[in-house]
Amino acid sequence: MSEFFDASFVPAALARETDDRAWARAMLEVEVALAAAQAEVGLIPASAADAIASAADAISLDPAALGREAARTGTPAEPLVRALRAEVGGDAGGWVHHGATSQDVVDSAAMLVARRALAQIEPALAAVAESCAALAERHRATPMLARTLLQPALPTTFGLVAARWLVGVDDARRRLREVAERRLAVQLGGAAGTLAVLGADGPAVVSALARRLDLGEPTLPWHTLRGPVHALAGALDEAAGAAGKAALDVVLLAQAEVGEVAESRDGDRGGSSSLPHKRNPIGSVLALAGARRAHAAATALTGTMPQEHERSATGAWHSEWAALRDALALTGGVAATMADVLDEIEVDAERMRANLEASGVPELEAETYLATAGAFVDRALERRR
Amino acid sequence: MSEFFDASFVPAALARETDDRAWARAMLEVEVALAAAQAEVGLIPASAADAIASAADAISLDPAALGREAARTGTPAEPLVRALRAEVGGDAGGWVHHGATSQDVVDSAAMLVARRALAQIEPALAAVAESCAALAERHRATPMLARTLLQPALPTTFGLVAARWLVGVDDARRRLREVAERRLAVQLGGAAGTLAVLGADGPAVVSALARRLDLGEPTLPWHTLRGPVHALAGALDEAAGAAGKAALDVVLLAQAEVGEVAESRDGDRGGSSSLPHKRNPIGSVLALAGARRAHAAATALTGTMPQEHERSATGAWHSEWAALRDALALTGGVAATMADVLDEIEVDAERMRANLEASGVPELEAETYLATAGAFVDRALERRR
Amino acid sequence: MSEFFDASFVPAALARETDDRAWARAMLEVEVALAAAQAEVGLIPASAADAIASAADAISLDPAALGREAARTGTPAEPLVRALRAEVGGDAGGWVHHGATSQDVVDSAAMLVARRALAQIEPALAAVAESCAALAERHRATPMLARTLLQPALPTTFGLVAARWLVGVDDARRRLREVAERRLAVQLGGAAGTLAVLGADGPAVVSALARRLDLGEPTLPWHTLRGPVHALAGALDEAAGAAGKAALDVVLLAQAEVGEVAESRDGDRGGSSSLPHKRNPIGSVLALAGARRAHAAATALTGTMPQEHERSATGAWHSEWAALRDALALTGGVAATMADVLDEIEVDAERMRANLEASGVPELEAETYLATAGAFVDRALERRR
Amino acid sequence: MSEFFDASFVPAALARETDDRAWARAMLEVEVALAAAQAEVGLIPASAADAIASAADAISLDPAALGREAARTGTPAEPLVRALRAEVGGDAGGWVHHGATSQDVVDSAAMLVARRALAQIEPALAAVAESCAALAERHRATPMLARTLLQPALPTTFGLVAARWLVGVDDARRRLREVAERRLAVQLGGAAGTLAVLGADGPAVVSALARRLDLGEPTLPWHTLRGPVHALAGALDEAAGAAGKAALDVVLLAQAEVGEVAESRDGDRGGSSSLPHKRNPIGSVLALAGARRAHAAATALTGTMPQEHERSATGAWHSEWAALRDALALTGGVAATMADVLDEIEVDAERMRANLEASGVPELEAETYLATAGAFVDRALERRR
């Protein structure tokens, strides 16, 4: 993520939830919750947990410096833990990160970041769906040319086109929600994935930690079981692709020779400095670019599945962090951009009719296709109730 | 898929369910079921549906010839429909493919092929899980060295290693089952996705067709809504990766310098023509190769999400067929190979203990780590009950 | 590769050069050339080399059976060598595959297959370039609307559009030629990559083998140095993408609402069974699908670079075979298809002018843009002389 | 790129050459050089060119703000040009960006950034090669076990292992150098790719611009001819993979059970906070992670080849920027990290000999394999002279 390249792809609020500082803060929260969970089950003194919580509030983090130190041990967790221990000081400092390994902190923090990002991605996708539903309803009977292989096929309605976008987005939302509910789990296994240091209290600590972080409780530590990351990446990719489908149709329908929709000129978006006559569907173009980038990030994440023994040795795990951030931020960006685009899209029903008439497609009884297309629109809308 | 390269990746029975003939037969079944569904709702004569069913039984298909003819219209459905019409002949011939478009047939057939392939993939994955569970139980208290970044970490047990494989595979199976149950849907939309030709009977025909083919009923035709394909590809990829995780650990543990497991010499597998002393973990190597190929195929499928208007115009849809076949066949192959490997794997508990002792890792109370690792093994096993 | 799915993507002659039988034959040729090279330097009896050559001519190969046996050792080379030894018989049989390892045979055969496939791919690309050059020349001054972000920009000429396709294809051809000349090397390293069995004669045998197979002589055995495969895959991918660029423009210009080009109706290609009014740019659609598939295959190949020690242990090498075949066959298919499409493309200069006039783009002096566009066309054409 | 995640992947100096500010500065340089080139051929007043150069020196850029404004038009070039025009002011301001389009500026700047990054990547790769050459020479006759499929094969030498790394890196360097010399070209085509606004002076301006920016002169504007980007991405990917090959071998040889090499404990790198006994090959692990990420970025870049008409409409171009930065920065990071690792690597020749003897591989005459392996080492070293 870079401000220069990504500010037009990712909304500021989502960028903040996924940036360096957000990750570092999430790692601190994991340490705080871990200490609290251990105090809760009587494994460490409550006073130590309190001291750790206070220090985490007070500490001033420099993510860039942590990043540079990460080269020594391979993760930013180690310098962060060291810094937190120093901030806590005394005996309590010794309880920081008790029984945990660096990957516990990074993975749990990643899941926190993911959950918070999803809390912004989901409303953006919902807004896309709402706009699609509104368009489907409004244009339930707006005749339009269906195009297959970009050639005129038969009549359809713009309502059905919008209903199709809607179903794609709603399907992806359901998948994303299920992944969020079932597969985002806390990570806690300790150096060897046995939690031996915590002895018989291990399972209780995992439960308490999961509850405190509002994450799922895994069957086993998943240091080298990357199913959760794979499932999340896939769901994000489907969501970006589903919103991207609407973007693609907008770009094609906005061609001057087609002219059936246009992005709003809101705030002068889509203008061209060199060609004042132009009206580019720039939101949709950027959404498509974002969907391509989200797909690349998701593919990087789904390609790291077989990892060695108890901890990845050939870079698979270390390559996940930036890709996860990208997948979250870009998917949310695609959704937010298309929510904007579809909320204000201009539909030219006259041009749709004119193109249909000029197309030379066989005459169908309007009554018939309006009825069958309308029935499909209704199905798509009913499913939402 | 090629016999030379793929026979060692894909079991013969699964190859048969996904080969050229299987796809062509599935396309015929779709046409037969479509006619039957239309007869059921009174849209076409029952006698026509019967004639179509008989002709589909009688017709002799040449998939290669159909493939060559596909270049003219872009899909093998068109020449197949033509051949079937000719075989049926007479008035009944006119009812073949009534109201449908080529993609209806190809997509519905793809879902049939997928369902049948899954009927072989799932038992193979179940067998992998069974072997893992048996190993986890048998070696619940077999001490072993945990390795992180391929370096000695702390003690664990082989039972926990096997339990980890088990959880990975079981998680992937659950995802695959859910995709199979919820997202494999029949395709029927006609030339423009409105089913206008079927008039008010459209929805009833879709229902009947779905029931007859034992596939889900979609909200809308999904010609350019590729979520179902995306979800299936992702679930297959996770399954191949989960089995691949076990394969990777086997390859690493089978290193001569480690020597903790070995693939069985069953049928001389793993021998080397030039080096008789060698004992290669060839099943696991091929499974890892298969998992890489399955990932490539899955990625090709997840990369085709935004498709144009009512039918893909830039090759996205046309590029799915071979990739779907590969993803199905290779995932099943990985599972079948690892089911074999794990069923007969030789575990050297003595060597595990010796390596652990030689590793110089801190002495932990055996009691402690056997208890905590054992508790995790139990969790993994209990989840299956 | 499958006949059903791939016959419309890959010309029959190229399919034959890359199919199972072609690979198995190439492997035999490698064994024959190896024996001849060894006889040449006096390492084995000339009579043994002759006997091996005769047996290779006489032997009847069943690629499918070899493929099945490959599961035992992980490569089809081992059963093939065994079969050849049996066919040769006697003492001479003992000299088959002398000092070589299975990967020597498979990799050298892969390079042979690649060279032969390139001998078909290159003329197909040359034909694409020729057609582009002819179009560029013929339409040097045919005014047309330039479109950016699919919106009207300013005037250009169709000649410059075709010249752009030309430059893309010519650049890719140059890269492909260089890879063919410099990086396709014979493989010969023996079991450990030292060629120890051949003693001081090793280098001379490598030279002779390279000469006999008309392949390059590598600095070292490249069993786990996959640069040659990476470079080849990349060059194929650029070629498929360059031809795909022309295909994409054709699909877009062929839209009914644009109507500036059309694929020829030669042999009824592009018709639709359900919609007789349609005229699909099916060649270009299939070429785009082929380019997507070629990219997926190339990506699989470029993703296998770091391989373990002296021979890949985690499936990277074993995953290359099918991907290499696909990359070769599909790139050639894209080129052949576009050579056809562009050879017969119908250009509607009237419609181009009409669209330009209707576009509302600023009036430029035709003299000016015809001159500047023409100058670019000339540059592209001159570079070919 | 993020400081938290990427500081351990990318050297600070290379990060500076590829960061937001570097891109924005490069874009300014393009505008300055464009004006100078146009003044040179007499197209604009020399005083305007001077004023533009002065303003570019004086202007204070906020890349983040430019990034946010980019959402309106789709590229950061437009707000940057606007800011520069304002800074120049007066009549001279009107000559800023004369005849150019946004993509001209971004693409030319991307090539500048690439050239500068390559000026750091190449020495890092050279250092890797130097270290490999030194190891190859020093260990020319250090016996060691060759391993195929991670199983003992036959004896080799560590010198040959290092020579293999060397050849891989040198091959990749040659390819990268050729791409740098031949394919990094300036971009200048104007709004429609015809340079019509520059009239007959267009070609001379392109030449002068190329000369001033020390970039190649393209045959045609390459707005939608992405061969240069494809070729660059591929060459970077091969380089990262070639260095990654060495990293993979180091990780495997550093396994405690193998123990033949170790990364230096320089500056405490490779320690573990929780396990003081550990000595992780963390440089190599991070290099492998970087190679995976570089491959993902390169794949994103090679996947954008077919772009629409005169300017990409479906996000392909817009998705290139961040991927190009990643590919450059990460490849350089892999090289720099491995240069460090190999410079200080500890080689345990005793352990190599002991492992070889314990391996049970057939006894070869040491004389023989030392001679054949040595001959290969010499070939690899000689090629460098």
Side-chain angles (χ1 to χ4, degrees):
Chain A
M1 293 284 107
S2 102
E3 293 177 302
F4 192 50
F5 290 129
D6 296 326
S8 53
F9 287 100
V10 182
L14 179 55
R16 269 194 305 278
E17 289 290 20
T18 55
D19 70 7
D20 287 358
R21 193 154 294 277
W23 280 76
R25 291 292 335 164
M27 287 163 65
L28 284 179
E29 286 177 68
V30 173
E31 297 290 355
V32 168
L34 177 63
Q38 292 178 336
E40 183 181 327
V41 306
L43 206 59
I44 73 169
S47 60
D50 291 344
I52 292 168
S54 301
D57 275 351
I59 201 170
S60 156
L61 288 180
D62 177 351
L66 296 172
R68 279 189 301 276
E69 289 182 67
R72 284 192 322 113
T73 54
T75 87
E78 192 271 340
L80 179 136
V81 167
R82 229 172 343 106
L84 182 58
R85 276 192 185 132
E87 180 85 20
V88 177
D91 286 354
W95 291 113
V96 169
H97 196 63
H98 177 58
T101 194
S102 292
Q103 192 174 350
D104 291 336
V105 180
V106 177
D107 280 348
S108 293
M111 293 297 103
L112 279 186
V113 168
R115 209 196 52 215
R116 286 165 189 166
L118 289 170
Q120 299 202 15
I121 297 168
E122 164 54 26
L125 287 167
V128 175
E130 279 307 314
S131 289
C132 292
L135 288 168
E137 204 147 7
R138 193 175 327 136
H139 294 283
R140 192 180 177 283
T142 303
M144 176 183 172
L145 183 58
R147 295 169 176 94
T148 56
L149 290 86
L150 283 180
Q151 294 295 318
L154 283 175
T156 185
T157 66
F158 182 58
L160 181 48
V161 167
R164 196 182 298 125
W165 301 340
L166 170 63
V167 167
V169 172
D170 272 350
D171 283 352
R173 288 170 67 202
R174 184 171 309 121
R175 177 170 168 192
L176 200 50
R177 226 156 28 224
E178 287 178 6
V179 167
E181 281 162 19
R182 298 203 218 153
R183 302 205 68 175
L184 299 193
V186 84
Q187 179 70 283
L188 190 65
T194 60
L195 271 188
V197 172
L198 305 189
D201 291 324
V205 172
V206 176
S207 284
L209 180 65
R211 185 169 28 77
R212 282 171 180 277
L213 294 176
D214 195 14
L215 290 168
E217 194 183 330
T219 308
L220 298 186
W222 47 281
H223 296 135
T224 49
L225 281 186
R226 308 310 284 178
V229 173
H230 191 289
L232 175 58
L236 290 167
D237 190 29
E238 183 176 340
K245 157 65 176 160
L248 179 57
D249 286 351
V250 169
V251 169
L252 292 169
L253 294 173
Q255 291 174 94
E257 296 86 353
V258 178
E260 301 184 2
V261 307
E263 289 195 11
S264 155
R265 272 195 188 278
D266 169 49
D268 192 31
R269 192 164 66 181
S272 159
S273 59
S274 55
L275 300 172
H277 63 285
K278 284 201 76 175
R279 187 165 178 185
N280 291 321
I282 199 63
S284 299
V285 170
L286 288 172
L288 283 163
R292 286 174 186 264
R293 293 180 60 194
H295 178 66
T299 297
L301 290 171
T302 56
T304 62
M305 274 288 288
Q307 300 196 359
E308 294 83 7
H309 294 321
E310 276 73 25
R311 183 93 42 87
S312 165
T314 57
W317 178 62
H318 299 76
S319 70
E320 286 178 7
W321 315 327
L324 180 57
R325 166 189 297 204
D326 282 1
L328 291 165
L330 291 163
T331 300
V334 172
T337 302
M338 288 313 295
D340 264 16
V341 165
L342 295 177
D343 185 40
E344 306 189 341
I345 198 166
E346 296 169 15
V347 178
D348 188 339
E350 276 318 294
R351 186 73 180 266
M352 287 177 175
R353 180 178 302 274
N355 285 339
L356 175 57
E357 281 165 9
S359 70
V361 302
E363 303 245 342
L364 281 186
E365 299 278 338
E367 214 175 310
T368 304
Y369 74 78
L370 290 179
T372 59
F376 276 132
V377 171
D378 294 343
R379 267 168 93 103
L381 293 173
E382 264 153 35
R383 201 174 62 144
R384 323 198 74 220
R385 277 161 208 149
Chain B
M1 294 281 106
S2 102
E3 294 178 302
F4 192 49
F5 290 128
D6 295 327
S8 52
F9 286 100
V10 182
L14 179 54
R16 268 195 304 279
E17 289 290 20
T18 54
D19 70 8
D20 287 358
R21 192 154 294 279
W23 280 76
R25 292 284 343 156
M27 286 162 66
L28 284 179
E29 287 177 67
V30 173
E31 296 290 356
V32 168
L34 176 64
Q38 292 177 336
E40 186 181 325
V41 306
L43 207 58
I44 74 169
S47 59
D50 291 345
I52 291 168
S54 302
D57 276 350
I59 201 170
S60 157
L61 288 180
D62 178 351
L66 294 172
R68 279 191 300 276
E69 288 182 68
R72 284 191 323 114
T73 54
T75 88
E78 190 272 340
L80 180 136
V81 166
R82 232 174 337 109
L84 181 59
R85 277 193 183 130
E87 180 84 20
V88 176
D91 287 354
W95 292 113
V96 169
H97 195 64
H98 177 60
T101 192
S102 291
Q103 190 173 350
D104 291 335
V105 180
V106 176
D107 279 349
S108 293
M111 293 297 104
L112 278 186
V113 168
R115 208 194 55 215
R116 284 163 190 168
L118 288 171
Q120 298 202 16
I121 295 168
E122 165 54 27
L125 287 167
V128 174
E130 279 307 313
S131 288
C132 292
L135 288 167
E137 203 148 9
R138 192 174 326 136
H139 294 283
R140 191 179 178 285
T142 302
M144 176 181 172
L145 183 59
R147 294 169 178 94
T148 55
L149 289 84
L150 283 180
Q151 294 295 317
L154 284 174
T156 186
T157 66
F158 184 58
L160 181 49
V161 168
R164 197 182 296 125
W165 300 341
L166 170 64
V167 167
V169 172
D170 272 351
D171 283 352
R173 288 169 67 203
R174 182 169 311 120
R175 176 171 167 191
L176 200 49
R177 226 155 29 222
E178 287 178 5
V179 168
E181 282 163 16
R182 298 202 219 152
R183 301 202 70 174
L184 299 193
V186 85
Q187 178 72 281
L188 189 65
T194 59
L195 274 187
V197 173
L198 306 190
D201 291 323
V205 172
V206 175
S207 284
L209 181 65
R211 186 171 27 79
R212 283 171 178 277
L213 294 177
D214 195 16
L215 290 169
E217 195 182 328
T219 308
L220 298 187
W222 45 282
H223 295 136
T224 48
L225 279 187
R226 308 310 284 178
V229 174
H230 191 289
L232 175 58
L236 290 167
D237 190 28
E238 183 177 342
K245 156 65 177 159
L248 179 58
D249 286 351
V250 169
V251 169
L252 292 169
L253 294 173
Q255 291 175 95
E257 296 86 353
V258 178
E260 301 184 2
V261 308
E263 288 194 12
S264 154
R265 272 191 189 284
D266 169 47
D268 192 34
R269 192 165 63 180
S272 158
S273 59
S274 54
L275 300 172
H277 63 284
K278 286 201 74 176
R279 186 165 178 187
N280 290 322
I282 199 61
S284 298
V285 170
L286 288 173
L288 283 163
R292 285 174 187 265
R293 294 179 60 194
H295 177 65
T299 298
L301 290 171
T302 56
T304 62
M305 275 286 290
Q307 299 195 359
E308 292 82 8
H309 292 324
E310 277 71 26
R311 182 95 40 87
S312 164
T314 58
W317 178 63
H318 299 77
S319 71
E320 287 179 4
W321 314 327
L324 180 57
R325 166 189 296 203
D326 281 2
L328 291 165
L330 291 163
T331 299
V334 172
T337 302
M338 287 314 294
D340 263 18
V341 164
L342 296 177
D343 186 40
E344 307 189 341
I345 198 165
E346 296 170 14
V347 178
D348 188 338
E350 277 318 296
R351 186 74 180 267
M352 287 175 174
R353 181 177 302 273
N355 285 340
L356 175 57
E357 283 164 8
S359 68
V361 300
E363 303 245 340
L364 279 188
E365 297 279 337
E367 216 172 305
T368 304
Y369 73 78
L370 289 180
T372 58
F376 275 132
V377 170
D378 295 343
R379 269 169 92 102
L381 292 173
E382 265 153 36
R383 202 174 59 145
R384 322 198 75 220
R385 277 163 208 149
Chain C
M1 294 282 108
S2 102
E3 294 177 301
F4 192 50
F5 290 128
D6 295 327
S8 51
F9 287 99
V10 183
L14 179 55
R16 268 194 305 278
E17 289 290 19
T18 54
D19 70 7
D20 287 357
R21 192 155 295 277
W23 280 75
R25 292 290 335 163
M27 287 163 66
L28 284 179
E29 286 177 70
V30 173
E31 296 290 356
V32 168
L34 176 64
Q38 292 178 335
E40 184 179 327
V41 306
L43 206 59
I44 74 169
S47 60
D50 291 345
I52 291 168
S54 302
D57 276 351
I59 201 170
S60 157
L61 289 179
D62 178 351
L66 295 172
R68 279 189 301 276
E69 289 183 68
R72 283 192 323 114
T73 54
T75 87
E78 192 272 341
L80 180 135
V81 167
R82 231 172 341 107
L84 182 58
R85 278 194 183 128
E87 180 84 18
V88 177
D91 287 352
W95 292 112
V96 169
H97 196 63
H98 176 60
T101 194
S102 292
Q103 190 172 350
D104 291 335
V105 181
V106 176
D107 279 349
S108 294
M111 293 297 103
L112 279 186
V113 168
R115 210 196 51 216
R116 286 165 190 166
L118 288 171
Q120 299 203 14
I121 296 168
E122 165 53 26
L125 287 167
V128 174
E130 280 307 315
S131 289
C132 292
L135 289 167
E137 204 147 8
R138 193 174 326 136
H139 293 283
R140 191 180 176 287
T142 304
M144 175 183 173
L145 183 59
R147 295 168 176 95
T148 56
L149 291 86
L150 284 180
Q151 294 295 319
L154 283 176
T156 186
T157 66
F158 183 58
L160 181 49
V161 167
R164 196 182 296 126
W165 300 340
L166 170 63
V167 168
V169 171
D170 272 350
D171 283 351
R173 288 171 66 203
R174 183 170 311 121
R175 176 170 169 192
L176 200 49
R177 229 161 20 228
E178 288 179 5
V179 168
E181 281 162 20
R182 299 202 218 153
R183 302 204 69 174
L184 299 193
V186 85
Q187 178 71 282
L188 189 65
T194 60
L195 272 188
V197 172
L198 305 189
D201 291 324
V205 172
V206 175
S207 284
L209 180 65
R211 186 171 27 80
R212 283 171 179 277
L213 294 177
D214 196 15
L215 290 169
E217 194 182 329
T219 308
L220 298 187
W222 46 282
H223 296 136
T224 48
L225 280 187
R226 308 310 284 177
V229 174
H230 191 288
L232 175 58
L236 290 167
D237 190 28
E238 183 176 342
K245 157 65 176 159
L248 178 58
D249 286 351
V250 170
V251 168
L252 292 169
L253 294 173
Q255 293 176 92
E257 295 86 353
V258 178
E260 300 183 3
V261 308
E263 288 194 11
S264 155
R265 274 193 187 280
D266 169 49
D268 192 32
R269 191 163 67 180
S272 159
S273 59
S274 54
L275 300 172
H277 64 285
K278 284 200 78 175
R279 186 166 179 187
N280 291 321
I282 200 61
S284 298
V285 170
L286 288 172
L288 283 163
R292 286 174 186 263
R293 293 180 60 195
H295 177 66
T299 297
L301 290 171
T302 56
T304 64
M305 274 287 288
Q307 299 196 0
E308 293 83 8
H309 293 323
E310 276 72 27
R311 183 93 42 87
S312 165
T314 57
W317 179 62
H318 299 77
S319 71
E320 286 178 5
W321 314 327
L324 181 56
R325 166 188 297 203
D326 282 1
L328 290 165
L330 290 163
T331 300
V334 172
T337 301
M338 288 313 296
D340 264 17
V341 164
L342 296 177
D343 187 39
E344 307 189 342
I345 197 165
E346 296 169 15
V347 179
D348 188 339
E350 276 318 295
R351 185 73 180 268
M352 287 177 176
R353 181 178 301 274
N355 285 339
L356 175 57
E357 282 165 7
S359 69
V361 301
E363 302 248 340
L364 282 186
E365 297 280 337
E367 214 173 309
T368 304
Y369 73 79
L370 290 179
T372 59
F376 276 131
V377 170
D378 294 343
R379 268 168 94 102
L381 292 172
E382 264 153 36
R383 201 173 61 145
R384 324 199 72 222
R385 276 161 211 151
Chain D
M1 294 281 106
S2 102
E3 295 178 301
F4 192 50
F5 290 129
D6 295 327
S8 52
F9 287 100
V10 182
L14 180 54
R16 267 193 306 277
E17 289 290 20
T18 54
D19 70 7
D20 287 358
R21 191 155 295 278
W23 279 76
R25 293 286 341 159
M27 287 162 65
L28 284 179
E29 287 176 68
V30 174
E31 297 290 356
V32 168
L34 176 64
Q38 292 177 337
E40 185 181 325
V41 306
L43 207 58
I44 75 170
S47 59
D50 292 344
I52 291 168
S54 302
D57 276 349
I59 201 170
S60 157
L61 287 180
D62 177 351
L66 294 172
R68 280 190 301 276
E69 289 183 68
R72 285 193 321 115
T73 54
T75 88
E78 191 272 341
L80 180 135
V81 167
R82 231 175 336 110
L84 182 59
R85 277 193 184 131
E87 181 83 20
V88 177
D91 287 352
W95 292 113
V96 169
H97 195 64
H98 177 59
T101 193
S102 292
Q103 190 172 352
D104 291 335
V105 180
V106 177
D107 280 349
S108 293
M111 294 296 104
L112 278 187
V113 168
R115 208 195 55 215
R116 286 164 189 167
L118 288 170
Q120 299 203 15
I121 296 168
E122 166 53 28
L125 287 167
V128 175
E130 279 308 313
S131 288
C132 292
L135 289 168
E137 203 147 9
R138 192 176 326 137
H139 293 283
R140 191 180 178 284
T142 304
M144 177 182 171
L145 183 58
R147 295 170 176 93
T148 55
L149 290 85
L150 283 180
Q151 293 295 318
L154 284 174
T156 186
T157 66
F158 183 58
L160 181 49
V161 168
R164 198 182 295 124
W165 302 340
L166 170 63
V167 168
V169 171
D170 272 350
D171 283 352
R173 288 170 67 204
R174 182 168 312 120
R175 176 170 167 193
L176 200 49
R177 227 158 24 226
E178 287 178 5
V179 168
E181 283 163 18
R182 298 203 220 152
R183 303 203 69 174
L184 299 192
V186 84
Q187 178 72 283
L188 190 65
T194 59
L195 273 186
V197 172
L198 305 189
D201 291 322
V205 171
V206 175
S207 285
L209 181 65
R211 184 169 29 77
R212 283 170 178 276
L213 294 177
D214 195 16
L215 290 169
E217 194 183 329
T219 309
L220 298 187
W222 46 281
H223 295 136
T224 49
L225 279 187
R226 308 310 284 177
V229 174
H230 191 288
L232 175 58
L236 291 167
D237 189 29
E238 182 176 342
K245 156 66 176 159
L248 179 58
D249 286 351
V250 169
V251 169
L252 292 168
L253 293 173
Q255 291 176 94
E257 295 86 353
V258 178
E260 300 183 2
V261 308
E263 288 193 13
S264 154
R265 272 190 189 283
D266 170 49
D268 192 31
R269 193 165 64 181
S272 159
S273 60
S274 54
L275 301 172
H277 64 284
K278 286 202 74 174
R279 187 166 177 186
N280 291 320
I282 198 62
S284 298
V285 170
L286 288 172
L288 283 163
R292 286 174 187 264
R293 293 179 61 194
H295 177 66
T299 297
L301 290 171
T302 56
T304 62
M305 276 286 289
Q307 299 195 0
E308 293 82 7
H309 294 322
E310 277 72 24
R311 181 94 42 87
S312 165
T314 58
W317 178 64
H318 299 76
S319 71
E320 287 179 5
W321 314 327
L324 180 57
R325 165 188 296 203
D326 281 2
L328 291 165
L330 291 163
T331 299
V334 172
T337 302
M338 288 314 295
D340 264 16
V341 165
L342 295 177
D343 186 40
E344 307 189 342
I345 198 165
E346 297 170 14
V347 178
D348 188 339
E350 278 318 294
R351 186 73 181 268
M352 286 177 175
R353 181 178 302 274
N355 284 340
L356 175 57
E357 282 165 9
S359 70
V361 300
E363 303 246 340
L364 280 188
E365 298 280 337
E367 217 173 305
T368 305
Y369 73 78
L370 290 179
T372 58
F376 275 131
V377 170
D378 295 344
R379 270 169 92 102
L381 293 173
E382 265 153 36
R383 201 173 61 144
R384 321 198 75 220
R385 278 163 208 148

